[in-house]
Amino acid sequence: PRAENAIGQITARARVCLAQSGLHVRFWSFAVVFSVDVLNMCLPYKSGTGMTCFEKQLGKKPDVSVLQPFGCRAYVILDKKSTNFAMVTVPGIYLGLAWRYGKKGVCVITDDYKRMYISTDVTFRPASFPAKIKKLQLSSQQSSNITNDERSM
């Protein structure tokens, strides 16, 4: 029952991550990994010890400042040494930490879902959720099309 409880908690948290971000269900694996990372960084290993699972496994306290809201806007900085003063950035969607994939940095997918970056040079907009905004725009367009079709009848 204890393992089933943990699986239920992780599934529920991943579902919330997907709902909050507006991302499609096909990103469930990233939401699950993100949820597990958050739980391991925040929950105690044993009650009363004050030691997290992360700390128990790696022997150091987790740096929770690296966590950002799942699915928030992220800008990957590609070229810091450009000839002009502007940095070259690519807008994307934050999918979590990359250490599980053997890399430092974070995972960011482009808005068209065609390219993924793993980078340490990223800036975040934690209050902006581009997939959710896109989903809301599509639903408002569809509802306006329905009303226009009803008027023409």
Side-chain angles (χ1 to χ4, degrees), residues 25 45 96 111 114 121:
V25 73
Y45 169 66
D111 289 346
K114 291 185 178 177
D121 294 328

Side-chain angles (χ1 to χ4, degrees), residues 13-14 17-18 27-36 70 95:
R13 288 171 190 264
C17 286
L18 288 173
F27 292 101
W28 69 268
S29 62
F30 289 100
V32 166
V33 169
F34 179 80
S35 300
V36 169
F70 182 80
L95 295 178

Side-chain angles (χ1 to χ4, degrees), residues 118-144:
I118 294 178
S119 177
T120 55
D121 294 328
V122 181
T123 58
F124 298 97
R125 300 289 180 266
S128 176
F129 295 93
K132 193 172 208 171
I133 293 167
K134 187 186 271 186
K135 194 182 267 189
L136 291 172
Q137 288 171 345
L138 285 173
S139 67
S140 69
Q141 285 176 356
Q142 289 172 348
S143 64
S144 68

